[in-house]
Amino acid sequence: MNFAKYALAAALCAASSTAFITPKNARVSRYNAGQQVPSRVMAATLDTPTTEADAGPSVMRPPIDFVWSDVASQLVEKFGYSQAEVDMYDGEVDNNKDNLIKIYKALQLARGFENACNQQYMQGKIRGFMHLDNGQEAIPGLVDYAIKNGDKKYSYYREHTHAIASGVDPGAVMAELFMKETGTCKGAGGSMHIFDKSTYFQGGWALVSEQLPYAAGAAKSILIDRALGVSDNENFEKQDVAPPADDDRISIVFVGEGGAQNGRTAELLNSAAKDNLPLLLLVIDNGRAINTYTSDVATNGSVFDQGKHYGVPGLQVDGYDAADVAKGGKAVIDYVRSGKGPAILQVHTYRFNGHSPADPEHERGRKDEKAWARAEQDPIKKFEDKYTANGVFTEDELKEFKKEVLAEVKAAVKFADESDMPPVELAKELEYPDAPDTDYNLKPAPAFADAVNARTISPEQMETVQAHIAGLREKAIAGDISIGDAINLAIHEEMLRDPTTTIHAEDLQAGSSYDIPKLTQQTYGKTRAADEIIDEGHFIGKALGEGMNGYRPIVELMNTNFGIFGMAEISSAGNTYATTGGQFDMPMTIVGAGGTAPNQALGAEHSQPFHAYVMGIPGLKICTAASPDAAYGITKSMIRDNGPCFLFAPVKMMKEAKGTLDLDVCAPLNKSALLHEASAESVAAGNAVTVLTYLHGVKEAQMVIDEIQEEGFDIDLIELRSLKPLDMDSIRKSLERTNKVAILDESTKSGGIGATVSARISEECFDLLDAPVKRLCMDDAPVPYASTMEVAVVKRGSDLVQGVFDLATGQY
């Protein structure tokens, strides 16, 4: 290899930036032992200034040049392995030709598949974004060698090779990239969203690092299986069969070293350590955060060391040597399998291609680095040279293996090419797992509920919770139950009815602010009822991982505005059923107090209309409840629904509103409620107005009905209990009587609920209107704390009286 031009490139880089050049003979500390490593091991993230003379033949991101002893010493020091055990992992690869063949074929299949993808992309058969994995084949080599079918796998957008190494059919993966119905997700996912239920390959996620809490939830689902004594049947549904005594499943999550700088990593490590989750964090370290040199944006590239504050050990391996990655990686995986807790594996590697085929490669020196890496850091060439030199393989044997693998790639392309495109109707079919008009009262409870409850809830716990439930039901019959207590009652009834129901919340042990999760952890234990760190995105993400693995998580947000922290996770929950081609239901119930009552004095951040923010997320069913009865029935239905649901309850009415409940009855998730009907006389006289409202607007409207009637007018008061899907049938039926509509809206003028409802009415019921739609909505200004200012922003009952008067008298 002639290094002359790379020395020149390094010198040019040094002239403009010192971040790329590592001094010759750099020495770094051995990870936790305080020793010095050989001078051939150069730090991957040094920012030490250098000169053109110092640069010599260094590349921008130098190799680490590990040999097996560098890996072995870490396994002894950090993971507690004996030398004999380390030698065993070495021998299982180097002394086992079958294992070496397995690894080599995985390397070649990964390379061949990605090369084929690139060719098909250039021909226009693969579209959108695509990210290739050439140069990083040691990772799929490890997956094929050491990861089992039952393990939960969570990858990111560069996941083709991870999926195939996990056992996903290459033809189905290629067909997914070709947008074909025979693809893993029926053409709904594409390159960045490969899912396969049969191999527990659970993504393919496009938002950087979003997959981390999902993998934690998947790992938690393994612990829940063991705690409840249930397992998946052939249809991936929970059955009353305990996992085998030697159940050693783990959850593995892939992330780049740039993505690992995301705060989700710290949350993952904390959660995994706290719950002793069987989870492996596999960090793919190619030195680039997209195209940016990672050390330009991160001070600690040694992600494998970030777990030490949580008691989570980490191992660094060299992706140039796929055999050593397999040996060290399997040792780390076995550590996790043994029940000792989570671990980190960081693979130092190089990516031969740009971030995507559309990558302009304009970043500093990247082309030179890639050219050098292709020549000097190719794991396939390293494997071939190593094992032909020592006589394990002949060149002819390796050629035959490669020929066999490339035939499989060719067949995958042919299969994809000949497959049909999905029908247009499929898009709408993938909106919701359960149809909007589902009657949740007809859904049967799991047959194993009583058996699981008997072995997981002690007689004393059962007696306590049954007494609690009985007390709440007595309040419900007496008309004295609050919204918070009604939701709590629904949750307990559903958790007993279906032991696959779990719950997550902050301050859960104490019942949170409104007693919604009261007595759940005390009854069902910490595994099913998890008290969470104060980061809604993290535990919404964990709930998503549980939901993909057979559980029905409930997330209580305390105040729904805090869900802003989990917007990415809520969005992905809404997309999952469709993106996976309908493979994965996404049962999740998010519930909390929110909205903006007049004069509530909570300030701007606690008064945001989060219900409006999430309206644009596909796949969500969004409801509101301004009474205990609505809250109870809707909560029960949402927990039974197979998709993500969001219930908003009025923050200022959580304890104030009291009423009776229609006990043991699930409410529809697609219907509004007519709370007051305008008199026939007012309708005949043209003095009736349809009023649409929700949350605190219900109370405000009910308080002024008498005043409106005293003025000679009347209203059809409709509570919008279902914001999405919107019950246009009920709205249309009322407008056929009144021909006028006012919306008392607890969201902003721009982008609010009222804007959506108004548009739908104008588009679908225009011929019924005798007047423009009257929107009484929040001003676009942030909600002030002081009541003297707040009155100008938030609408109330007095505004509704004026609005009805204006509509009824033609003063538009």
Side-chain angles (χ1 to χ4, degrees):
M1 173 72 186
N2 182 358
F3 280 98
K5 71 172 183 176
Y6 301 115
L8 175 60
L12 291 174
C13 288
S16 58
S17 171
T18 61
F20 287 88
I21 308 301
T22 301
K24 294 197 310 185
N25 301 322
R27 299 171 70 88
V28 295
S29 296
R30 174 74 71 181
Y31 305 99
N32 284 330
Q35 303 173 7
Q36 292 291 313
V37 297
S39 60
R40 58 183 169 73
V41 180
M42 294 185 284
T45 55
L46 278 177
D47 286 330
T48 308
T50 187
T51 66
E52 182 175 340
D54 289 333
S58 295
V59 295
M60 291 168 297
R61 182 173 183 262
I64 57 175
D65 291 332
F66 272 18
V67 294
W68 173 242
S69 60
D70 295 313
V71 179
S73 61
Q74 294 179 74
L75 291 174
V76 171
E77 295 161 8
K78 293 185 171 185
F79 289 83
Y81 281 111
S82 67
Q83 188 59 51
E85 289 170 325
V86 170
D87 291 342
M88 179 192 69
Y89 285 106
D90 184 20
E92 284 180 349
V93 173
D94 276 352
N95 299 332
N96 188 316
K97 189 170 183 177
D98 287 342
N99 284 340
L100 286 169
I101 293 172
K102 184 179 181 68
I103 294 167
Y104 182 69
K105 285 184 176 180
L107 302 181
Q108 286 289 5
L109 181 56
R111 178 71 58 84
F113 189 89
E114 296 294 69
N115 286 343
C117 287
N118 196 43
Q119 292 168 1
Q120 300 305 312
Y121 189 90
M122 296 307 173
Q123 293 178 28
K125 294 180 180 179
I126 298 174
R127 300 180 62 193
F129 295 123
M130 183 182 72
H131 309 84
L132 301 178
D133 208 31
N134 298 58
Q136 303 182 154
E137 288 82 6
I139 290 103
L142 168 65
V143 172
D144 189 275
Y145 173 61
I147 295 299
K148 300 179 182 180
N149 183 80
D151 295 332
K152 324 282 188 176
K153 302 97 175 171
Y154 281 80
S155 190
Y156 60 141
Y157 51 80
R158 198 182 304 277
E159 87 285 28
H160 310 157
T161 65
H162 305 159
I164 293 170
S166 297
V168 183
D169 179 65
V173 176
M174 188 64 76
E176 184 62 32
L177 273 64
F178 273 49
M179 309 180 181
K180 299 300 181 70
E181 192 175 12
T182 56
T184 57
C185 304
K186 299 183 180 179
S191 173
M192 295 185 286
H193 303 288
I194 303 297
F195 291 81
D196 182 66
K197 199 163 191 176
S198 65
T199 58
Y200 291 91
F201 193 82
Q202 300 178 345
W205 302 90
L207 301 178
V208 173
S209 302
E210 68 163 313
Q211 71 275 13
L212 298 181
Y214 308 161
K220 185 72 175 292
S221 76
I222 296 171
L223 299 186
I224 303 173
D225 283 353
R226 296 170 185 170
L228 299 185
V230 299
S231 59
D232 292 351
N233 62 19
E234 64 277 5
N235 296 319
F236 305 96
E237 298 168 341
K238 296 303 176 190
Q239 60 180 342
D240 191 20
V241 176
D246 61 350
D247 178 30
D248 63 356
R249 292 171 297 156
I250 69 169
S251 177
I252 176 173
V253 59
F254 304 81
V255 69
E257 94 289 349
Q261 304 298 329
N262 190 291
R264 287 179 176 88
T265 300
E267 295 165 345
L268 177 78
L269 293 173
N270 175 72
S271 175
K274 179 178 69 71
D275 290 334
N276 201 45
L277 296 179
L279 186 143
L280 173 67
L281 175 63
L282 199 159
V283 182
I284 302 168
D285 175 13
N286 55 47
R288 298 279 172 170
I290 310 177
N291 285 321
T292 299
Y293 194 58
T294 308
S295 64
D296 282 356
V297 294
T299 59
N300 180 16
S302 300
V303 183
F304 65 95
D305 254 351
Q306 290 185 19
K308 62 185 178 182
H309 302 295
Y310 305 95
V312 178
L315 176 74
Q316 186 181 35
V317 292
D318 188 350
Y320 182 36
D321 193 322
D324 283 0
V325 172
K327 300 171 192 176
K330 189 172 189 302
V332 173
I333 289 167
D334 286 349
Y335 173 92
V336 179
R337 290 197 193 284
S338 69
K340 293 177 182 176
I344 306 171
L345 177 67
Q346 183 167 348
V347 183
H348 182 282
T349 187
Y350 292 86
R351 175 162 42 84
F352 294 169
N353 299 80
H355 179 67
S356 73
D359 180 8
E361 300 184 355
H362 59 265
E363 71 279 10
R364 292 173 294 171
R366 180 70 165 128
K367 288 184 179 180
D368 290 332
E369 183 188 67
K370 287 187 294 185
W372 171 86
R374 290 189 195 105
E376 300 296 326
Q377 290 290 306
D378 187 339
I380 294 179
K381 186 175 185 300
K382 166 78 171 179
F383 188 99
E384 293 172 339
D385 290 348
K386 179 178 180 180
Y387 290 105
T388 53
N390 64 13
V392 174
F393 296 114
T394 66
E395 290 186 6
D396 287 341
E397 280 182 298
L398 295 179
K399 287 178 181 177
E400 194 60 34
F401 296 145
K402 181 178 180 180
K403 180 180 178 182
E404 176 186 331
V405 166
L406 292 182
E408 188 176 357
V409 173
K410 184 177 180 180
V413 174
K414 184 175 186 292
F415 173 78
D417 214 15
E418 295 175 352
S419 295
D420 294 329
M421 296 289 283
V424 66
E425 296 82 10
L426 182 61
K428 190 63 178 177
E429 292 172 11
L430 293 175
E431 184 177 9
Y432 298 119
D434 289 346
D437 61 353
T438 297
D439 185 348
Y440 299 94
N441 296 289
L442 302 179
K443 286 205 167 190
F448 54 71
D450 290 342
V452 172
N453 287 338
R455 63 176 175 254
T456 59
I457 303 173
S458 71
E460 294 77 18
Q461 290 170 319
M462 184 63 78
E463 182 179 355
T464 299
V465 74
Q466 291 290 9
H468 176 67
I469 289 172
L472 293 177
R473 290 174 74 92
E474 287 176 8
K475 283 186 175 182
I477 294 169
D480 194 35
I481 193 167
S482 68
I483 293 175
D485 282 346
I487 297 173
N488 178 248
L489 174 59
I491 287 172
H492 277 293
E493 289 178 347
E494 294 302 310
M495 291 188 79
L496 290 172
R497 175 186 174 275
D498 185 349
T500 66
T501 307
T502 64
I503 186 167
H504 301 258
E506 299 158 346
D507 207 28
L508 178 140
Q509 294 178 46
S512 194
S513 293
Y514 305 106
D515 286 343
I516 287 174
K518 183 178 180 180
L519 210 62
T520 53
Q521 189 171 96
Q522 293 86 339
T523 302
Y524 312 107
K526 293 182 178 180
T527 304
R528 280 182 68 193
D531 224 338
E532 297 288 358
I533 61 170
I534 304 176
D535 190 313
E536 287 71 17
H538 172 73
F539 59 86
I540 292 172
K542 284 170 67 178
L544 187 153
E546 289 178 10
M548 291 185 71
N549 286 281
Y551 289 94
R552 296 187 174 277
I554 303 164
V555 174
E556 195 265 338
L557 291 182
M558 194 178 300
N559 188 296
T560 54
N561 289 316
F562 303 157
I564 290 171
F565 277 100
M567 191 63 111
E569 290 77 10
I570 295 170
S571 175
S572 287
N575 290 330
T576 296
Y577 178 70
T579 302
T580 65
Q583 288 182 85
F584 288 89
D585 290 341
M586 191 59 256
M588 180 194 296
T589 301
I590 304 176
V591 60
T596 311
N599 203 28
Q600 69 180 12
L602 293 181
E605 287 195 86
H606 279 67
S607 301
Q608 298 178 84
F610 192 60
H611 44 285
Y613 298 176
V614 298
M615 277 286 283
I617 296 175
L620 295 183
K621 290 176 181 170
I622 304 172
C623 294
T624 70
S627 66
D629 189 51
Y632 172 81
I634 289 172
T635 298
K636 291 177 77 71
S637 294
M638 286 186 165
I639 294 171
R640 298 184 190 188
D641 191 272
N642 285 319
C645 301
F646 208 138
L647 175 61
F648 291 86
V651 64
K652 282 296 188 178
M653 297 168 61
M654 294 298 292
K655 296 180 180 180
E656 168 194 312
K658 301 291 180 67
T660 59
L661 303 183
D662 196 357
L663 291 168
D664 303 314
V665 176
C666 296
L669 299 183
N670 67 331
K671 290 296 180 183
S672 298
L674 180 62
L675 303 183
H676 175 82
E677 188 172 20
S679 67
E681 293 78 13
S682 66
V683 171
N687 291 331
V689 174
T690 297
V691 173
L692 308 176
T693 192
Y694 58 95
L695 294 178
H696 302 94
V698 172
K699 176 185 174 183
E700 291 294 312
Q702 288 174 326
M703 289 171 59
V704 297
I705 288 176
D706 288 345
E707 185 177 346
I708 289 171
Q709 290 174 331
E710 288 172 1
E711 295 292 330
F713 310 113
D714 208 345
I715 62 174
D716 272 3
L717 176 58
I718 295 177
E719 179 184 2
L720 297 176
R721 291 182 179 177
S722 175
L723 297 179
K724 187 176 181 180
L726 187 62
D727 181 10
M728 287 302 297
D729 290 340
S730 293
I731 295 172
R732 183 180 295 105
K733 183 177 179 181
S734 177
L735 283 175
E736 287 172 349
R737 301 175 69 242
T738 67
N739 306 117
K740 295 175 283 292
V741 59
I743 305 172
L744 182 55
D745 183 15
E746 209 160 315
S747 60
T748 51
K749 186 172 184 178
S750 300
I753 301 296
T756 297
V757 176
S758 175
R760 290 284 302 274
I761 292 172
S762 298
E763 291 166 0
E764 300 173 35
C765 303
F766 182 77
D767 58 326
L768 298 176
L769 295 176
D770 288 345
V773 176
K774 186 79 169 180
R775 279 203 290 151
L776 306 168
C777 52
M778 293 166 53
D779 192 78
D780 283 343
V783 178
Y785 170 68
S787 57
T788 53
M789 292 187 290
E790 181 268 344
V791 70
V793 176
V794 179
K795 299 300 183 287
R796 58 206 71 215
S798 57
D799 297 295
L800 179 60
V801 173
Q802 184 64 49
V804 169
F805 177 84
D806 291 345
L807 281 172
T809 59
Q811 300 182 42
Y812 311 140

